[in-house]
Amino acid sequence: MNYILVVNAGSSSIKFRLYSENNLVEIASALCERIEIDGLFKISYQVNDKLEKFEEKTNFSSHEVAIDYCLKKLVDLKIVNNLNEIIGVGHRVVQGGEISQSSLIDTKVLAEIEKCIKLAPLHNKPELEVIKIINKKIPNSKPVAVFDTSFHTTIPKLNNYYPIPKKWVDSFKIKKYGFHGTSYRYIYEKMESIIKKGRPLNLIVCHLGNGASICCIKNGKSFDTTMGFTPMAGLIMGTRCGDIDPSIADYLINQEKNSATAVFNSYNKESGLKAICGSSDFRDINANVLPGNEFEFARDIFAQKVANTISVYLNHLENKIDGIVFTGGIGENDDIVRNIICKKIFVKKISVNASKNKLKYDDYKKISGLFSPIKVYAVRTNEELKIAQDTKSFIK
Ligand code: ADP
């Protein structure tokens, strides 16, 4: 049997998904965590239609050690017979710079990913390292890069231009790149299959997870999005501040004698919901809400910003919209937040059906009431499957 491996590398973790190549059924899902700290490995996998699990504390002193461990486990647990059965490896790459589509990784693509490290150091650096390691370990497989930025190359200049001196815009390629593109592509195709209009759709897709963004899709193409030059811009997120006055950085650097790096590290890791209420996880936030407390405020300010953005994007779409979609960990699972957001959209009186909103679901559901002027959906995203599909297209 042949397989496609999907790899999502971060600075201290690597997520793997293994798919059968012929019908893209998920065979295994593995996670190497706490790389360069200590090491934790988790895997769940299908054997003879039974779901098995294995977990081990170990020592991942580097990304290479973690990859070696995971690949060896795939063979030892008899999930694959040997690594040559993995004929394609799809890598999630956050920043693709000038590359607009998923690409077979050759020296030119590797060079572009390396060039983009400057734009997204937290993401592109470990991703590049992991691509090189896996190319060495499974040399016969086809490596494919799938970029988070790719869906947004259609955003018009009117929506992606930053009004700073042109010499910077031009020489440093500063513009709104946008992220979560693989999720938006997956959701767009899913929505086409759900609402079958036979023409390109107008959608507002809210990908609300730990990292959160919204995409305005006009005539089937990304027209605007909330993340920008980096994934720090836009909405309030778990630990990221989103859009704030750029001068705050300069002020803090001077006031607290901080380095720019320290301030931006705090913008990334100690801001957002965590800074407001102490937790970045909406399960904790919902559980602790009391009238007037900081958890209620965190939920409210998050929802308000999402609702305001939806209202702006309704204007982008000239009020012609086929649906609002909620996805990502919060968007898919949190009926309370979905309801609050919809209630805060005042330019249209959207109604949410309370029981449909609460209903358990696997794939997607419509949550809007019968007479709502805009249909609202909750849809489970699947970025890994999209990466596997793209990778497969290079194998055929
Ligand atoms: P990312 O991929 O950006 O790391 P996810 O899309 O996996 O994030 O979303 C993770 C977040 O989703 C959690 O931090 C939590 O806030 C939220 N979440 C996950 N499950 C639930 C749930 N059942 N109810 C409410 N929020 C949830």
Side-chain angles (χ1 to χ4, degrees):
M1 190 141 153
N2 287 332
Y3 299 95
I4 289 174
L5 185 66
V6 171
V7 183
N8 183 351
S11 53
S12 68
S13 72
I14 311 173
K15 293 179 196 153
F16 299 89
R17 291 263 176 101
L18 188 74
Y19 292 88
S20 61
E21 189 266 337
N22 57 352
N23 51 7
L24 295 182
V25 168
E26 188 181 316
I27 307 289
S29 167
L31 172 66
C32 296
E33 276 185 296
R34 300 177 62 82
I35 298 170
E36 289 175 16
I37 304 167
D38 38 35
L40 178 63
F41 179 76
K42 291 179 191 164
I43 187 164
S44 49
Y45 56 104
Q46 297 277 351
V47 215
N48 304 326
D49 284 340
K50 233 182 97 206
L51 187 70
E52 300 279 350
K53 287 188 177 186
F54 172 86
E55 192 174 317
E56 190 171 60
K57 279 198 176 141
T58 174
N59 179 23
F60 294 144
S61 54
S62 66
H63 282 76
E64 181 151 12
V65 172
I67 291 165
D68 270 336
Y69 179 101
C70 179
L71 294 180
K72 185 165 181 308
K73 271 285 173 266
L74 291 179
V75 179
D76 289 352
L77 296 169
K78 298 194 169 37
I79 301 168
V80 300
N81 291 314
N82 61 68
L83 295 181
N84 286 328
E85 289 184 337
I86 299 173
I87 58 170
V89 181
H91 294 270
R92 178 201 181 198
V93 181
V94 164
Q95 176 55 273
E98 296 299 294
I99 307 178
S100 58
Q101 275 173 351
S102 299
S103 312
L104 199 61
I105 303 177
D106 54 16
T107 44
K108 232 173 99 192
V109 172
L110 269 184
E112 186 64 26
I113 297 170
E114 186 154 18
K115 218 168 89 190
C116 290
I117 287 179
K118 274 190 277 180
L119 300 182
L122 297 181
H123 295 101
N124 273 43
K125 198 165 182 282
E127 284 157 5
L128 180 71
E129 189 190 341
V130 165
I131 290 169
K132 286 181 177 167
I133 295 168
I134 294 189
N135 281 354
K136 241 178 13 193
K137 309 278 170 197
I138 325 176
N140 295 328
S141 69
K142 286 217 161 103
V144 174
V146 179
F147 301 99
D148 266 30
T149 43
S150 67
F151 186 67
H152 301 297
T153 52
T154 52
I155 296 180
K157 195 172 171 189
L158 199 63
N159 294 334
N160 75 10
Y161 194 83
Y162 290 119
I164 54 173
K166 200 162 178 301
K167 59 173 192 224
W168 289 343
V169 171
D170 292 343
S171 41
F172 300 117
K173 299 202 167 31
I174 294 184
K175 63 171 187 176
K176 178 186 277 189
Y177 284 96
F179 299 88
H180 286 141
T182 312
S183 173
Y184 291 128
R185 271 203 295 144
Y186 175 85
I187 294 288
Y188 184 77
E189 285 171 22
K190 186 87 204 169
M191 291 309 294
E192 277 190 318
S193 75
I194 296 169
I195 54 185
K196 298 194 182 80
K197 291 271 181 183
R199 55 152 174 84
L201 301 177
N202 287 343
L203 298 171
I204 296 174
V205 183
C206 307
H207 180 113
L208 310 178
N210 215 354
S213 72
I214 307 184
C215 183
C216 175
I217 302 178
K218 191 172 187 179
N219 288 324
K221 292 183 177 142
S222 178
F223 186 73
D224 203 354
T225 192
T226 54
M227 284 179 171
F229 179 65
T230 71
M232 199 159 33
L235 303 175
I236 294 168
M237 301 178 226
T239 62
R240 291 175 230 165
C241 57
D243 288 346
I244 58 170
D245 183 339
S247 310
I248 295 172
D250 182 52
Y251 184 74
L252 290 175
I253 290 163
N254 289 321
Q255 285 295 307
E256 296 209 337
K257 304 275 171 278
N258 264 322
S259 68
T261 311
V263 169
F264 281 89
N265 202 31
S266 294
Y267 280 177
N268 240 324
K269 297 190 177 148
E270 290 163 23
S271 300
L273 298 168
K274 189 178 171 197
I276 299 170
C277 68
S279 173
S280 60
D281 192 311
F282 256 104
R283 285 162 290 198
D284 296 337
I285 295 174
N286 286 329
N288 287 291
V289 164
L290 288 172
N293 76 357
E294 68 275 26
F295 293 97
E296 189 191 47
F297 178 62
R299 193 167 70 183
D300 255 10
I301 190 171
F302 174 87
Q304 189 66 58
K305 192 130 190 185
V306 174
N308 290 350
T309 307
I310 291 173
S311 306
V312 170
Y313 286 0
L314 276 170
N315 194 50
H316 273 345
L317 296 176
E318 299 162 44
N319 248 336
K320 296 184 202 98
I321 178 166
D322 297 301
I324 294 172
V325 182
F326 287 103
T327 191
I330 303 162
E332 290 169 24
N333 298 307
D334 196 328
D335 56 288
I336 303 171
V337 174
R338 286 195 300 253
N339 191 38
I340 296 174
I341 292 169
C342 290
K343 280 211 176 111
K344 285 179 181 288
I345 301 167
F346 299 111
V347 292
K348 284 269 178 186
K349 197 149 178 35
I350 294 166
S351 74
V352 170
N353 180 306
S355 53
K356 283 188 194 163
N357 190 26
K358 280 201 172 65
L359 206 69
K360 281 208 157 51
Y361 71 109
D362 283 333
D363 191 17
Y364 75 91
K365 62 178 177 178
K366 187 154 90 184
I367 61 167
S368 45
L370 204 54
F371 301 109
S372 177
I374 299 177
K375 294 189 175 68
V376 185
Y377 300 83
V379 182
R380 298 207 183 274
T381 194
N382 196 338
E383 288 152 291
E384 290 78 10
L385 179 61
K386 193 83 220 124
I387 295 173
Q389 287 168 349
D390 283 12
T391 306
K392 181 171 168 161
S393 73
F394 285 94
I395 290 167
K396 289 290 163 204

